[in-house]
């Protein structure tokens, strides 16, 4: 197909589903992605996150069914433990818009993902220290 959703489905699920995914419409993906599969594994449950610049990613990942938190489009970082970087990105992405509606610039997505990895890695390390 010559548009995005079917390709992202294929990459994340491992197979094409052109019968059911035939547009870029914001419909929940009927297929289980690798991210959802991984999140169902007890070892990884609650440790899987998705980040995307396009506001259709919550539907591609099927955030509702999968339980995988998705930060995409112009979503902001949320929570009581926001880092200074997350607070800055929240502010800047509303001030600096890209040329497409529903799609934020990739550096914002990159830094949101990096901050989440840093925070969750720190939490994992603290948990390991506490257990030992």
């Amino acid at each position: 197909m010559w548009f995005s959703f079917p390709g992202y489905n294929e990459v994340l699920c491992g197979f094409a589903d052109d019968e059911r995914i035939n547009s870029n419409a914001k419909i929940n993906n009927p297929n289980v992605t690798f991210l959802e599969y991984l999140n169902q594994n007890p070892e990884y449950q609650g440790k899987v996150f998705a980040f995307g610049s396009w506001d259709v990613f919550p539907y591609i990942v099927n955030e509702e069914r999968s339980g995988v938190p998705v930060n995409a489009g112009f979503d902001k970082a949320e929570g009581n433990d926001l880092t200074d970087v997350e607070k800055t990105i929240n502010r800047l992405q509303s001030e600096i818009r890209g040329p497409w509606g529903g799609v934020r610039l990739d550096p914002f997505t990159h830094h949101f993902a990096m901050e989440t990895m840093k925070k969750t890695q720190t939490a994992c390390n603290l948990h390991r220290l506490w257990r030992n």
Side-chain angles (χ1 to χ4, degrees):
M1 303 248 178
W2 292 95
F3 46 89
S4 302
F5 197 148
Y8 283 116
N9 170 75
E10 192 168 342
V11 167
L12 292 172
C13 297
F15 59 90
D17 186 357
D18 295 344
E19 293 286 321
R20 297 187 295 176
I21 302 185
N22 52 24
S23 74
N24 280 338
K26 292 180 179 178
I27 57 166
N28 281 321
N29 191 341
N31 303 306
V32 173
T33 67
F34 178 70
L35 299 173
E36 181 174 354
Y37 170 80
L38 202 57
N39 196 48
Q40 292 171 351
N41 180 317
E43 185 177 348
Y44 295 103
Q45 193 168 31
K47 297 177 183 175
V48 180
F49 302 87
F51 295 86
S53 295
W54 187 30
D55 67 357
V56 181
F57 273 99
Y59 301 92
I60 296 168
V61 174
N62 197 336
E63 182 176 23
E64 187 177 297
R65 183 193 65 224
S66 71
V68 173
V70 179
N71 180 296
F74 292 98
D75 288 346
K76 293 183 176 187
E78 298 175 344
N80 296 324
D81 63 340
L82 295 182
T83 67
D84 289 339
V85 171
E86 288 170 320
K87 291 174 187 176
T88 300
I89 299 168
N90 280 347
R91 181 177 52 79
L92 286 176
Q93 79 167 346
S94 64
E95 296 173 6
I96 304 170
R97 294 294 187 161
W100 314 280
V103 181
R104 69 175 164 217
L105 298 174
D106 288 341
F108 296 125
T109 302
H110 167 81
H111 287 290
F112 274 139
M114 293 302 294
E115 284 302 295
T116 297
M117 287 193 310
K118 288 176 193 173
K119 285 167 50 172
T120 56
Q121 184 63 42
T122 300
C124 289
N125 287 338
L126 289 173
H127 180 70
R128 279 191 215 114
L129 286 172
W130 179 78
R131 285 179 46 196
N132 292 333

